[in-house]
């Protein structure tokens, strides 16, 4: 008997079906069966299914004699399922790599719950990917629970395909799909309300394809009236079970919101049917209005859920339109549209007023002197104390406390996370405008906003964000894929405000002057954020994450790719790598900052972190602490390698897609030929380097020494002090002692 039965109904999806089937059959977890239901599809779906069944015994094909629709096609496949658990997969969607193994591991960990809810991402026909907006709900608890204990689980999209169901639970309750559109509604609500043990998996296991056309729910048809019958089925189920009566207020609100949402969609209902749909919805809403005492009895914990639902209903004033006429609804809709248009106009007015305020401040600049002791700092697009600007700020407070340092932050949430005593100002606020008009010094690692007008006499110090490997600035003009959505001329106009460009080595000096043909002077200061790496600062990273003191910590820090939309590519299997490292090792993973808030962490990293298989350090604000806590670095083409070399600890470059990476983004040097350590071109080579001990052999040390002499030449541990004394205070201070780089180590600049 297999662990998982995957039921796939198929109808007119021949263009997507192979990708769907491959995503299931090529999973690393093999204890499955696939029950593919040909719903009398008029295209080539049936033949494709037979082809797969002929070559893979795990595939069973059921050809229906007539088209019965999505829900009943799923029902047809149910009797043939023999697995412990059921997973319903739509034939135009796909499973993500490793999804079924993660599902099985979570099922085992939670003692085979009735339902396991997992995460998904919407993948759009034009190439974009967006993670489920309510993904945080899946991390509320790691224990099993009921819907009454955590009613927020019902806020997730009520569909069948983001869950796995224990087959015995489904059979005992006789759950079936009804005919018609919105067939998921009378399945998911009864299932979730009946389940005694629900578990979650905070991992993107499914890509939910958003087709440009052909999506049933985007088809204009009277079939959308089916939603009313589906909710009648939900209420019939609840009415037959007195213990579920407490959920009626919640379901009543959900029904009203769902129906009004359908009515608001321009592509769902024929124009002539919209009034009728509203009237039927209003009739249904009145018919199922809960009584005042509906929540007086119920299971333990459900009363709180009902109370919360009732409060939410009271807040949902928009449902009040169902007590009036369709004409009143239309008036309200038009008023809402006018309000939104007015809001947009108000926004334009506010922006224009802001522009006038900035221009007014600019005009006053000649009348007010600069504040010679005011320094404005920003880092990582206004995300708080980070990187080089933070190191300069701390040094300035110690060396020159008379200097007033103010941080520009993006919003109130970032401001709340600042350490006590740090003065800050919100971006684009009146106080920000006032301070930017008076500040003598500006220190940033990302360009300041374009609206900022540089006042004569002010000093802009640009710290950058590490040593460059990949093309930047004007060099991206020849790489259209890498500069998608990136305005190079606008960026260069902002860079024209720089007075000083910090460099950690002569390679960086050459690159910045080439990539940013502007009017700055290179300052051979070293990288301030690397001071702590040179002097050996302390870190609490291991203690915070419970990493044993005697463990060898391997830091894996991949960069983003420009040849895929979204930038994320899984180059290695993290769970496998962690296992192959063996006992006494901890694998720490830090994704590129640009991927921190996208779907990348949901593709398994967050779940592996929760299970203690790896440590996810992507959200750590100070990468220096992560580096100090590690014993070795594995990276591909991330600039973190140049910083890490200051620690004189082993580095392995995993370059399995170097050709594709350089073709799409470009590189200033061949890192595979001038690496800071051994280079692996496949996972097998990478695993062998650690299994054999080659990652820290004499050759690794020799390569690292050459690399350090070339790219860490100005990092002497006093970079932040040097910036403060020479650039902010105007004092003299010797340049750091330079170690000559190895002969015959050319950049690729001459050939680009």
């Amino acid at each position: 008997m297999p662990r998982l039965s995957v039921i796939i109904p198929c109808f007119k999806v021949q263009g997507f079906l192979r990708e769907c089937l491959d995503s299931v059959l090529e999973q690393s977890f093999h204890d499955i069966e696939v029950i593919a239901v040909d719903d009398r599809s008029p295209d080539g779906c049936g033949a494709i299914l037979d082809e797969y069944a002929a070559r893979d015994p795990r595939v069973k094909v059921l050809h229906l004699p007539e088209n019965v629709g999505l829900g009943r096609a799923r029902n047809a496949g149910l009797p043939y399922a023999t697995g412990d658990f059921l997973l319903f997969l739509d034939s135009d969607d796909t499973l993500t790599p490793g999804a079924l193994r993660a599902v099985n591991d979570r099922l085992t960990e939670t003692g085979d719950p009735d339902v396991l809810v997992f995460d998904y991402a919407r993948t759009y026909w034009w190439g974009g990917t967006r993670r489920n907006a309510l993904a945080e709900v899946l991390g509320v608890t790691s224990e099993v629970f009921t819907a009454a204990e955590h009613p927020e689980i019902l806020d997730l999209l009520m569909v069948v395909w983001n869950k796995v169901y224990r087959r015995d639970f489904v059979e005992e309750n006789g759950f079936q799909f009804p005919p018609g559109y919105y067939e998921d509604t009378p399945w998911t609500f009864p299932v979730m309300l009946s389940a005694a043990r629900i578990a979650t998996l905070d991992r993107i296991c499914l890509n939910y394809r958003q087709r440009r056309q052909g999506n049933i729910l985007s088809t204009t048809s009277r079939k959308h009236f089916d939603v009313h019958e589906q909710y009648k089925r939900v209420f019939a189920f609840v009415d037959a079970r007195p213990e579920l009566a407490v959920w009626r207020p919640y379901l009543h609100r959900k029904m009203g919101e769902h129906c009004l949402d359908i009515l608001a969609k321009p592509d769902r209902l024929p124009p002539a049917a919209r009034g009728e749909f509203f009237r039927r919805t209003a009739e249904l809403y009145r018919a199922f209005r809960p009584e005042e005492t509906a929540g007086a009895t119920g299971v333990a914990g459900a009363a709180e859920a009902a109370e919360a639902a009732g409060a939410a209903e009271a807040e949902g004033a928009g449902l009040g339109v169902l007590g009036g006429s369709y004409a009143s609804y239309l008036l309200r809709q038009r008023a809402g549209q006018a309000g939104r248009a007015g809001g947009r106009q108000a926004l334009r007015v506010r922006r224009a007023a802001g522009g006038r305020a900035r221009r007014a401040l600019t005009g006053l600049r000649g009348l007010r002197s600069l504040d010679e002791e005011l320094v404005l700092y920003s880092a990582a697009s206004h995300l708080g104390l980070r990187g080089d600007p933070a190191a300069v700020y701390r040094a300035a407070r110690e060396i020159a406390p008379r200097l007033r340092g103010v941080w520009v932050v993006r919003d109130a949430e970032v401001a709340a996370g600042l350490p006590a005593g740090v003065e800050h100002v919100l971006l684009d606020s009146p106080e920000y405008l006032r301070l930017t008009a008076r500040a003598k010094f500006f220190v940033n690692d990302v360009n300041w906003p374009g609206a900022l007008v540089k006042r004569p006499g002010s000093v802009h110090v640009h710290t950058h964000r590490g040593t460059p490997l990949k093309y930047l600035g004007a060099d991206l003009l020849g790489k259209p894929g890498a500069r998608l959505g990136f305005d190079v001329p606008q960026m260069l106009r902002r860079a024209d405000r720089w007075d000083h460009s910090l460099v950690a080595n002569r390679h960086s000096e050459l690159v910045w002057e080439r990539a940013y043909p502007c009017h700055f002077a290179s300052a051979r200061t070293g990288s301030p954020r690397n001071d702590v790496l040179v002097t050996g600062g302390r870190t609490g990273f291991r203690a915070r994450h419970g990493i044993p003191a005697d463990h060898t910590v391997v830091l894996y820090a991949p960069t983003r790719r420009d040849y895929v939309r979204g930038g994320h590519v899984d180059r290695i299997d993290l769970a496998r790598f962690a296992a192959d490292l063996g006992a006494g090792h901890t694998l720490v993973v830090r994704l590129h900052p640009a991927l921190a808030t996208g779907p990348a962490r949901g593709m398994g990293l967050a779940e592996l972190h929760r299970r203690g298989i790896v440590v996810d350090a992507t959200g750590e604000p100070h990468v220096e602490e992560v580096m100090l806590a590690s014993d070795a670095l594995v990276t591909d083409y991330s600039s973190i390698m140049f910083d890490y070399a200051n620690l004189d600890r082993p580095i392995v470059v995993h370059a399995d897609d170097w050709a594709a990476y350089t073709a799409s983004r470009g590189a200033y040097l061949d890192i595979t030929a001038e690496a800071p350590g051994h280079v692996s071109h496949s996972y097998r080579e990478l695993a062998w380097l650690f299994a054999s001990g080659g990652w820290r052999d004499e050759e690794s040390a020799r390569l690292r020494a050459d690399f350090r002499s070339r790219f860490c030449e100005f990092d002497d541990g006093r970079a932040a002090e040097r910036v403060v004394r020479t650039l902010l205070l105007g004092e003299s201070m010797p340049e750091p002692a330079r170690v000559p780089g190895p002969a015959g180590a050319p950049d690729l600049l001459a050939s680009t």
Side-chain angles (χ1 to χ4, degrees), residues 13-58:
V13 287
Q14 63 180 6
F16 307 106
L17 184 54
R18 292 182 185 276
E19 185 180 0
C20 173
L21 293 171
D22 289 343
S23 78
V24 178
L25 298 174
E26 294 176 4
Q27 290 280 316
S28 60
F29 183 78
H30 299 130
D31 190 13
I32 65 171
E33 65 178 1
V34 174
I35 300 163
V37 182
D38 172 16
D39 190 16
R40 194 66 176 176
S41 185
D43 58 6
C45 284
I48 293 172
L49 295 178
D50 290 339
E51 173 193 330
Y52 274 77
R55 68 173 187 244
D56 195 320
R58 295 176 297 170

Side-chain angles (χ1 to χ4, degrees), residues 444-509:
N444 199 347
D445 62 0
V446 180
N447 258 319
W448 291 95
L452 176 62
V453 179
K454 178 176 168 58
R455 182 174 176 181
S458 64
V459 177
H460 284 237
V461 178
H462 195 74
T463 69
H464 301 284
R465 303 179 76 181
T467 293
L469 172 62
K470 52 184 171 284
Y471 278 11
L472 294 164
D475 288 326
L476 290 175
L477 290 172
K479 297 290 183 181
R483 62 179 172 86
L484 180 65
F486 181 65
D487 188 337
V488 174
Q490 171 65 11
M491 179 274 301
L492 293 178
R493 285 192 291 272
R494 295 181 181 186
D496 280 331
R497 298 175 297 196
W498 302 351
D499 292 289
H500 303 286
S501 166
L502 306 190
V503 299
N505 46 65
R506 282 169 282 186
H507 163 82
S508 295
E509 184 174 322

Side-chain angles (χ1 to χ4, degrees), residues 247-278:
W247 289 102
R248 283 182 62 92
Y250 173 85
L251 294 170
H252 183 249
R253 175 174 61 86
K254 277 289 185 181
M255 176 185 67
E257 291 174 346
H258 193 174
C259 292
L260 286 179
D261 182 66
I262 294 170
L263 185 61
K265 294 288 195 302
D267 56 354
R268 299 284 176 93
L269 296 160
R274 296 174 64 82
E276 181 186 353
F277 184 90
F278 175 87

Side-chain angles (χ1 to χ4, degrees), residues 67-104:
N67 176 252
V68 297
L70 182 58
R72 287 188 288 183
R74 290 171 179 155
N75 292 340
L78 274 172
Y80 296 89
T82 62
D84 297 330
F85 286 87
L86 306 171
L87 189 156
F88 297 95
L89 179 64
D90 288 354
S91 48
D92 55 349
D93 295 337
T94 57
L95 297 180
T96 61
L100 295 187
R101 182 169 298 281
V103 164
N104 179 67

